[in-house]
Amino acid sequence: MTLPGADSRMNDHSLIIGLESRLLNAWPSFDYQLYDGWVLRLANGYSKRANSATPFRPDIGLDDELLDYMIARFVEANVRPTFRLNGVETPDVDELLKQRGFKDIEPTHVLTAPIRNGDCEADPEVSLEPQVSKRWVRAAAESYGGDKADDEKLMRIVSRIRQKAAFATLSLDDRPVAWGLGVVERGYIGLYDIVVAPDLRGIGLGRRVVASLMAWGCGQGAHTAYLQVREENEIARSLYGALGFETAYRYTHRVMPGRSSSM
């Protein structure tokens, strides 16, 4: 499923790098290392976007020497070597990783949508807090489940956010049922960790959280919202398409198999 306008936008390296820099700031890792335009991020294995090497310079390449060096840094940190390819790298980067046995997994779309005047009214049942709480982290992590159920690591990541943020909770009859995070930077609001209680999914609660965070972003001067969704998640992509989101660019992961990791 390719959304309208995606082809030309996915070739815009300035747009990609601008959104990638905001994403990096909105979802901080514990450690950053810079290698000739590649940013290697480490966060004890919690989420691939915080534990991967990403290109941050147009037409950047990768040779065997630098690849081996970065692999060693991942292994030292007990994190599976992972390269997050966003399209600004040269085509031979993907071929090199493929030849070295890295598997292509979890293609993901970064979507954007303009914030219009009609998007600026918040939902009164969605509370927005400027600071993270243990209660928010515990509930969001529990609803995620699986390898994202580690509330300690999630707290370490979101407590490092330095941009203005809003931690959203939607409650029905005093029961918290959906959560989300919005981070504003330079005219954009990033939407993260949109999650709904497992027994109440599919009835529009996530949409209400997204709409409220976009309304909050509007009040903070944001003109555009962005988020990430896996390519395989057709339901979420259709939902966001109905909200006006279109693909800005696509990224994928090249992951080295056979390494122990908490990811």
Side-chain angles (χ1 to χ4, degrees):
M1 173 182 170
T2 301
L3 297 175
D7 291 344
S8 60
R9 300 172 78 202
M10 285 191 284
N11 293 322
D12 186 345
H13 288 179
S14 62
L15 172 66
I16 295 172
I17 292 173
L19 286 172
E20 288 283 293
S21 65
R22 290 172 173 85
L23 187 153
L24 183 148
N25 292 334
W27 195 256
S29 295
F30 308 156
D31 183 26
Y32 297 83
Q33 300 172 30
L34 183 63
Y35 300 111
D36 298 338
W38 289 87
V39 176
L40 191 156
R41 307 174 67 202
L42 299 167
N44 290 350
Y46 188 93
S47 83
K48 290 181 180 61
R49 62 178 176 259
N51 293 272
S52 55
T54 301
F56 265 82
R57 195 175 70 204
D59 300 317
I60 189 171
L62 181 65
D63 58 28
D64 285 297
E65 181 180 7
L66 180 55
L67 174 56
D68 288 336
Y69 192 85
M70 287 196 280
I71 288 173
R73 304 290 78 75
F74 279 114
V75 173
E76 288 171 359
N78 194 33
V79 171
R80 180 177 298 171
T82 301
F83 286 77
R84 185 174 166 279
L85 305 182
N86 56 29
V88 303
E89 73 284 347
T90 57
D92 59 341
V93 171
D94 187 62
E95 184 60 30
L96 172 61
L97 293 170
K98 180 180 178 181
Q99 291 174 359
R100 294 286 294 270
F102 282 72
K103 303 299 183 184
D104 187 1
I105 66 168
E106 295 180 10
T108 301
H109 289 245
V110 177
L111 310 179
T112 61
I115 297 177
R116 303 179 176 89
N117 290 336
D119 299 326
C120 298
E121 185 174 344
D123 188 323
E125 292 185 294
V126 178
S127 67
L128 302 173
E129 299 295 333
Q131 302 292 333
V132 67
S133 66
K134 290 183 178 179
R135 180 180 65 256
W136 185 94
V137 168
R138 188 178 304 115
E142 182 179 353
S143 291
Y144 260 120
D147 59 0
K148 285 195 171 182
D150 191 328
D151 54 346
E152 180 181 352
K153 288 180 182 175
L154 177 57
M155 173 63 86
R156 289 186 66 191
I157 287 175
V158 297
S159 64
R160 282 172 161 75
I161 298 171
R162 297 295 176 259
Q163 280 66 33
K164 187 171 289 187
F167 295 85
T169 303
L170 168 60
S171 297
L172 299 180
D173 297 326
D174 295 324
R175 175 196 169 190
V177 295
W179 302 264
L181 165 63
V183 182
V184 167
E185 181 187 345
R186 293 177 290 147
Y188 285 75
I189 176 170
L191 306 177
Y192 297 85
D193 273 20
I194 309 298
V195 61
V196 176
D199 61 321
L200 292 173
R201 290 173 182 168
I203 60 172
L205 301 182
R207 180 177 184 144
R208 290 175 63 182
V209 172
V210 167
S212 285
L213 287 171
M214 289 177 68
W216 173 81
C218 176
Q220 303 299 320
H223 52 71
T224 304
Y226 72 90
L227 53 82
Q228 303 160 89
V229 61
R230 287 187 188 179
E231 190 167 84
E232 66 189 21
N233 193 343
E234 293 284 352
I235 295 175
R237 290 174 63 199
S238 295
L239 165 65
Y240 294 130
L243 291 172
F245 283 86
E246 297 181 353
T247 298
Y249 63 98
R250 176 184 181 275
Y251 67 82
T252 190
H253 302 90
R254 281 282 182 183
V255 177
M256 177 179 279
R259 297 282 182 181
S260 63
S261 168
S262 56
M263 283 168 42

